[in-house]
Amino acid sequence: MPHVRLNGADLYYEVTGEGDPLVLVHGSWTDHTGWGPVLPALAASHRVLVYDRRGHSRSSGGTGPGSRSQDEDDLAALLERLDLGPAHVVGNSFGASTALGLGARRPELFRSLVAHEPPLFATVANDPQLRPLMRVAQDRIDAVVERLSAGDDRGGAHLFVEEVALGPGMWQRLPDRVRETFVGNAGTFLDELNDPHWDEIDVTGLSALTVPVLLSYGTTSPPWYAKIVGGLAETIAHARIRPLEGAGHVPHTTHPELYAATVTGFLADPTAG
């Protein structure tokens, strides 16, 4: 199994397909296997790299408390070590925040950037319409953190899926392997939240990003994601916004055909409507 030692962590990765390099950056709780439903379609036209971010599944976490900037550094180091940059980079959730954060710092590593629902809550913290809703969401996340801090990884993962990410009844609908992945990566989620800057972004750096950018959100997702995406599009003047009809926070899992077509269509022609 291929691993590479970068920035004090051993990162697991896989490369498949031929063509221009495309890197997929997963969100919290999950790992590279979450991209499985869209990987064949993406690898049909690109050389696709998937990997486990530090502290997730087959990748070690390094030493000391983690930060999103470390994940950004890992992504940069992977692109350079594997000679993939500049690459198309696609990120989901925390992985989207990671891709955008690196884009603001190292734009030369990117050919294009696709980000779905980055949880950059600091960018909408002062929105009066969202504030009551986000207070409820924060209470639910606090409840998850309380369980994780008490050592109840399974209870915290269950609560996150049901109350924060996917909705009531979804925990039992997940395959056993996915549930165990959530439980196994629970500690890293807690570590991510301990980074005081995890939901922030360098707006000035993003405004200078010149590569094609696609920002997407699901029409069934909580309303703050559309607001976050809209604010980012104002920062990145040339960015395109794509609502994914009927989808939520993990469209590559729930709506793989729609998501794969959205990504491949954008990469083929970033100027298309």
Side-chain angles (χ1 to χ4, degrees):
M1 295 186 293
H3 284 79
V4 60
R5 183 75 175 176
L6 297 170
N7 304 323
D10 291 308
L11 301 185
Y12 175 84
Y13 71 94
E14 296 178 2
V15 179
T16 185
E18 298 291 337
D20 290 340
L22 169 60
V23 181
L24 308 180
V25 190
H26 67 80
S28 301
W29 299 91
T30 183
D31 59 23
H32 76 281
T33 61
W35 296 107
V38 297
L39 189 57
L42 299 180
S45 55
H46 292 82
R47 184 184 182 201
V48 182
L49 167 71
V50 294
Y51 69 104
D52 291 347
R53 292 194 293 108
R54 63 170 52 225
H56 291 83
S57 298
R58 302 183 192 183
S59 292
S60 70
T63 59
S67 66
R68 202 187 73 218
S69 64
Q70 285 183 319
D71 281 290
E72 295 168 11
D73 292 341
D74 290 344
L75 175 56
L78 268 175
L79 291 170
E80 293 171 332
R81 179 72 64 85
L82 301 179
D83 195 25
L84 294 175
H88 303 290
V89 179
V90 174
N92 173 257
S93 189
F94 195 92
S97 299
T98 299
L100 288 163
L102 182 61
R105 295 167 53 199
R106 299 284 308 277
E108 75 279 4
L109 295 175
F110 291 76
R111 298 189 187 203
S112 70
L113 197 162
V114 179
H116 182 77
E117 296 191 353
L120 297 170
F121 299 131
T123 64
V124 295
N126 295 322
D127 188 308
Q129 293 180 320
L130 293 180
R131 194 175 295 123
L133 297 173
M134 295 188 68
R135 188 176 300 116
V136 172
Q138 186 59 56
D139 288 343
R140 293 175 178 175
I141 292 176
D142 289 345
V144 172
V145 169
E146 183 177 356
R147 293 200 183 189
L148 297 181
S149 299
D152 183 9
D153 289 351
R154 184 169 296 275
H158 180 278
L159 190 63
F160 181 82
V161 168
E162 297 270 314
E163 299 292 335
V164 179
L166 301 181
M170 287 302 298
W171 179 256
Q172 290 302 321
R173 293 175 61 184
L174 293 175
D176 290 343
R177 177 190 57 77
V178 175
R179 287 200 296 266
E180 293 309 309
T181 299
F182 267 73
V183 174
N185 292 328
T188 300
F189 175 74
L190 186 61
D191 194 41
E192 288 172 349
L193 293 189
N194 286 330
D195 173 11
H197 306 294
W198 72 270
D199 65 345
E200 302 173 2
I201 194 71
D202 176 8
V203 174
T204 301
L206 272 185
S207 66
L209 190 61
T210 59
V211 300
V213 175
L214 177 66
L215 305 167
S216 63
Y217 65 91
T219 60
T220 67
S221 291
W224 47 79
Y225 286 116
K227 285 289 188 74
I228 290 171
V229 164
L232 292 173
E234 292 179 2
T235 298
I236 311 169
H238 62 282
R240 306 187 68 84
I241 296 178
R242 186 70 52 81
L244 301 181
E245 190 65 37
H249 197 53
V250 285
H252 54 288
T253 299
T254 60
H255 295 70
E257 292 184 3
L258 171 63
Y259 189 70
T262 299
V263 172
T264 55
F266 174 74
L267 297 184
D269 185 2
T271 65

